[in-house]
Amino acid sequence: MNLYHASGIEVAVALAIVKTLVLVVGGIITYFSFKAYRRTRQRALGYLAAGFGIVTLGFVLAGLVYEILNVSLEAGVLIESLLVLIGFGIIAYSLYAQ
């Protein structure tokens, strides 16, 4: 598939596949982070799990609000970016907190 000449449908399908894989892999990382938190009860691991969950949610939510709620693409990307920023901030804090 040549990305310069791909049809809108091909790009939409590829995007749906990638977003689904992000949801699966991000969900797995979040699950194992939360499982480690439950086992150790270390607050930093709880923050780490929350951060990964928010980042994953941000990546997936942008496409959902665009497709389902008919929000503009720019607003969807803004929502995604804000959630990823918040999630990364929480992850950074989890690595800093003892």
Side-chain angles (χ1 to χ4, degrees), residues 42-85:
Q42 290 184 1
R43 186 182 299 172
L45 287 174
Y47 285 128
L48 186 68
F52 278 121
I54 292 172
V55 167
T56 301
L57 178 68
F59 282 132
V60 173
L61 194 61
L64 287 177
V65 297
Y66 174 72
E67 290 294 331
I68 295 173
L69 301 177
N70 293 324
V71 173
S72 71
L73 183 60
E74 293 83 7
V77 171
L78 178 61
I79 292 168
E80 173 185 13
S81 298
L82 287 173
L83 286 172
V84 169
L85 175 64

Side-chain angles (χ1 to χ4, degrees), residues 6-18:
S7 72
I9 294 173
E10 290 171 339
V11 171
V13 169
L15 186 58
I17 291 169
V18 169

